């Protein structure tokens, strides 16, 4: 271990990544944004109050500003940039996303850009519902909603009442939308995931 | 600053013994805020988050041995039946993201008078299990654990291994007042736990004193005034209970509220808790979020 910083090895969005010299007092959020070229997770409050830094750490949604970077060493992190490959994708968009992801693996390292034709169901629902205004809260919301829907879909009877929905998203603040469109997006995404969608652009 | 990772409990104890200035970190929901705002510059962080022993809980006799590293989310999902008030308190902590990382061990380590678990630990007569490399295990009743605002009786070479909490012997309640229903530090909070066998009442008050407090006189009074078969009290007795709880607090005016408001709110919370205890079983189950 360098006396100036940590050598951090983790799996980010399905790829093994290494960063040298991450200061030991850095958060995972800072490591993702400044050392791994993934600015999707946002730095707003630095104290876990806004949720704009929400990422998956070993499949659990957490505030990355409250995880010390070294605590993620050897772990699996998924950010909004990797959401299109998540299990809330429909099979069609997941197939497209894995194609786009291979392109990312072969091509860029820092600043992987998302292929906008390969979005998860949650991402598409947010765009269609008008749930994105300035977009600052959006990456955090997408992870939180993705996690919520995975949990709900795991039930024998798929049911999400308003109170549970709001409680599940209580860790994500939005200053623009007033939340109603966000709730619409969640309901749309849930309905789509509950109903098998026809594959997009399937060969006929 | 260094980050030191402990892979086992034994190694953690030895590391804390060698580096008493190292700040323990597990969920990080308190420690990282201090680091992010440069309020604190420990020489090192001692990462406890990989220690398997801390993530276990067990029921031995009538006691839950809750590892210091069990997250609030797991307490809600796994311990709502044995520790209902702690599950209620856990559900009021922060947000789902915070609950996925925060722990009761960390809550005790920070020892804030506003910590959400503390009133429940007081009301249920919990015991903190601390340990050091040199002196072994030390069991500290929660009543004796808090020394002042954000100060506990832990020695610099001690770490919290577990909290020993009696499984519920009767109805329990926890509630807290804040500016919204999530993501708030308590303006004040109240916990109550009834033991139907011993016919005793435990209480805990949060965020209304330099440390979490117990309302002993109120608990004794209620134990005498309660009809233990129907769990009812005459209205005048309920009011007196509320007054005694209020008098047990030692609040100040601060950024989150005034002393007078806290005393009033505690009176309201404690009387509501009595009503909720009567209607227990008709309340919705805690939702894992």
């Amino acid at each position: 271990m360098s006396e100036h910083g940590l050598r951090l090895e983790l799996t980010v969005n399905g790829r093994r990544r290494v960063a040298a010299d991450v200061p030991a007092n850095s958060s995972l959020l800072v490591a993702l944004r400044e050392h791994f070229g993934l600015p999707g997770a946002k730095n707003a409050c630095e104290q876990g109050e806004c949720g704009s830094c929400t990422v998956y750490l070993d499949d659990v949604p957490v505030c990355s500003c409250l995880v010390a970077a070294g605590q993620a060493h050897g772990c699996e992190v998924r950010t909004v940039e990797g959401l299109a490959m998540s299990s809330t994708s429909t099979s069609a968009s997941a197939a497209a996303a894995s194609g786009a992801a291979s392109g990312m693996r072969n091509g860029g390292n820092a600043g992987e850009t998302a292929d906008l034709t390969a979005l998860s169901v949650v991402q598409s629902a947010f765009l269609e519902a008008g749930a994105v205004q300035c977009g600052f809260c959006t990456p955090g919301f997408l992870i939180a909603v993705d996690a919520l829907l995975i949990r709900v879909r795991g039930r024998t009877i798929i049911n999400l009442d308003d109170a549970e929905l709001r409680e599940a998203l209580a860790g994500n603040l939005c200053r623009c939308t007033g939340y109603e469109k966000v709730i619409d997006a969640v309901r749309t995404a849930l309905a789509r995931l509950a109903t098998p969608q026809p594959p997009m652009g399937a060969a006929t | 600053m260094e980050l030191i990772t402990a892979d086992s409990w034994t190694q953690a104890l030895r590391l804390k013994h060698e580096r008493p200035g190292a700040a323990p970190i597990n969920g990080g929901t308190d420690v990282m805020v201090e680091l992010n705002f440069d309020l604190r510059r420990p020489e090192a962080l001692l990462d406890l988050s990989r220690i398997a022993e801390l993530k276990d809980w067990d029921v031995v006799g009538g006691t839950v041995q809750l590892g210091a590293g069990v997250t609030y989310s797991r307490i809600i999902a796994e311990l709502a039946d044995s520790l209902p008030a702690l599950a209620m308190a856990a559900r009021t902590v922060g947000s789902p993201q915070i609950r996925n990382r925060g722990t009761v061990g960390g809550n005790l380590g920070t020892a804030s008078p506003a910590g959400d678990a503390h009133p429940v630990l007081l009301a249920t007569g919990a015991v903190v299990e601390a340990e050091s490399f040199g002196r072994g295990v030390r069991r500290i009743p929660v009543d004796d654990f808090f020394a002042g605002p954000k100060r506990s009786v832990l020695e610099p070479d001690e770490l919290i291994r577990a909290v020993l909490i009696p499984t519920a012997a009767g109805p329990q309640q926890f509630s807290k007042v804040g500016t919204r229903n999530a993501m708030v530090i308590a303006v004040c909070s109240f916990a109550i736990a009834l033991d139907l066998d011993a016919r005793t009442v435990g209480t805990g008050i949060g965020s209304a004193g330099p440390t979490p407090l117990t309302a002993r006189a109120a608990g004794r009074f209620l134990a005498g005034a309660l009809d233990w078969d129907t769990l009812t009290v005459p209205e005048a007795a309920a009011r007196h209970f509320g007054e005694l709880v209020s008098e047990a607090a030692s609040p100040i005016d601060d950024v989150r509220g005034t002393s007078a408001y806290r005393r009033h709110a505690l009176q309201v919370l404690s009387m509501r808790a009595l009503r909720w205890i009567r209607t227990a079983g008709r309340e919705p189950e805690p939702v894992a979020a």
Side-chain angles (χ1 to χ4, degrees):
Chain A
M1 183 169 70
S2 151
E3 63 179 18
H4 298 296
L6 308 171
R7 176 187 159 84
L8 211 54
E9 288 186 34
L10 41 152
T11 304
V12 187
N13 297 327
R15 288 176 52 185
R16 262 204 91 60
R17 300 283 305 272
V18 178
D21 262 359
V22 177
N25 63 350
S26 293
S27 63
L28 174 61
L29 175 64
V30 166
L32 288 169
R33 291 179 58 81
E34 298 181 13
H35 296 267
F36 290 112
L38 292 166
K42 301 295 181 244
N43 187 357
C45 76
E46 287 191 280
Q47 51 188 317
E49 296 227 353
C50 71
S52 66
C53 68
T54 306
V55 302
Y56 279 117
L57 179 63
D58 288 343
D59 292 328
V60 174
V62 302
C63 288
S64 57
C65 71
L66 299 183
V67 177
Q71 292 185 298
H73 180 77
C75 298
E76 279 199 40
V77 175
R78 279 185 297 133
T79 70
V80 67
E81 287 95 339
L83 205 57
M85 298 182 282
S86 87
S87 63
T88 57
S89 300
T90 59
S91 56
S93 60
S98 64
S102 314
M104 284 190 248
R105 259 179 230 115
N106 296 332
N109 41 12
E112 300 167 354
T113 51
D115 179 347
L116 290 177
T117 63
L119 295 176
S120 74
V121 170
V122 178
Q123 288 168 308
S124 301
F126 262 66
L127 292 176
E128 292 166 35
V132 182
Q133 291 192 25
C134 81
F136 205 83
C137 72
T138 305
F141 257 115
L142 292 173
I143 299 288
V145 172
D146 189 76
L148 168 63
L149 296 183
I150 287 171
R151 194 174 71 246
V152 169
R153 289 176 70 210
R155 294 176 183 164
T156 318
I157 298 172
I158 294 176
N159 171 43
L160 177 62
D161 69 20
D162 192 63
E164 185 186 354
L165 188 162
R166 287 170 183 272
E167 188 172 357
L169 300 183
N172 293 80
L173 302 183
C174 172
R175 297 288 281 141
C176 296
T177 64
Y179 300 103
E180 292 303 322
K181 305 277 188 190
V182 171
I183 292 166
D184 290 347
V186 176
R187 296 241 168 254
T188 298
L190 179 59
R192 285 197 186 147
L193 291 166
T195 315
Q197 299 291 307
M200 299 187 305
T204 50
Chain B
M1 199 198 79
E2 246 187 286
L3 180 88
I4 309 166
T5 301
D7 292 311
S8 71
W9 180 243
T10 317
Q11 189 192 26
L13 290 177
R14 192 170 41 74
L15 288 165
K16 192 69 164 92
H17 171 78
E18 289 164 6
R19 305 282 297 272
I25 184 172
N26 199 333
T29 56
D30 281 336
V31 171
M32 286 305 293
V33 178
E34 293 183 305
L35 289 189
N36 290 342
F37 284 82
D38 208 20
L39 297 174
R40 196 177 166 194
R41 292 189 186 179
E43 62 176 72
L45 290 181
L46 177 57
D47 181 15
L48 307 175
S49 66
R50 301 178 196 267
I51 300 173
E53 299 97 300
L54 296 182
K55 300 182 197 189
D56 281 338
W57 61 263
D58 208 352
V59 183
V60 178
T63 303
V64 174
Q65 297 176 346
L66 180 67
V70 177
T71 63
Y72 290 116
S73 292
R74 285 186 53 210
I75 291 170
I76 295 164
E78 300 168 24
L79 287 164
D81 291 329
S82 333
L83 304 176
L86 189 64
M88 287 178 209
R91 193 175 166 197
T92 71
V93 172
S95 66
Q97 292 93 319
I98 301 274
R99 294 192 284 274
N100 285 338
R101 295 286 289 175
T103 64
V104 174
N107 213 212
L108 287 164
T110 297
S112 164
D116 293 315
H118 306 325
V120 173
L121 299 179
L122 287 169
T124 55
V127 172
V128 178
E129 196 176 84
E131 196 171 345
S132 66
F133 180 76
R135 297 181 305 289
V137 175
R138 180 161 77 115
R139 296 219 161 116
I140 310 163
V142 165
D143 277 338
D144 303 331
F145 183 80
F146 302 103
K150 294 197 149 188
R151 274 190 305 118
S152 72
V153 299
L154 285 180
E155 299 291 345
D157 62 344
E158 281 181 319
L159 294 171
I160 298 168
R161 167 77 176 82
V163 190
L164 312 175
I165 312 166
T167 56
Q172 303 183 337
Q173 277 294 329
F174 172 86
S175 56
K176 119 188 188 189
V177 173
T179 46
R180 63 179 282 241
N181 59 7
M183 296 286 245
V184 287
I185 296 173
V187 173
C188 63
S189 59
F190 180 69
I192 187 171
L194 267 57
D195 187 327
L196 296 177
D197 300 319
R199 296 203 165 179
T200 54
V201 175
T203 62
I205 293 170
S207 228
T211 67
L213 300 167
T214 308
R216 265 179 241 291
R220 278 194 305 267
F221 168 77
L222 185 65
L226 199 62
D227 178 334
W228 282 90
D229 296 315
T230 60
L231 297 182
T232 55
V233 283
E235 200 180 311
R239 260 198 313 276
H240 189 57
F241 174 68
E243 283 158 13
L244 289 172
V245 169
S246 179
E247 281 164 28
S250 181
I252 57 171
D253 296 345
D254 71 11
V255 289
R256 284 188 288 275
T258 64
S259 168
Y261 176 75
R262 288 178 157 106
R263 286 198 190 277
H264 172 73
L266 282 168
Q267 195 167 356
V268 174
L269 285 185
S270 52
M271 289 175 66
R272 282 185 190 167
L274 289 187
R275 271 209 308 282
W276 290 331
I277 274 168
R278 267 204 319 282
T279 59
R282 297 205 291 275
E283 295 297 310
E285 292 299 310
V287 170

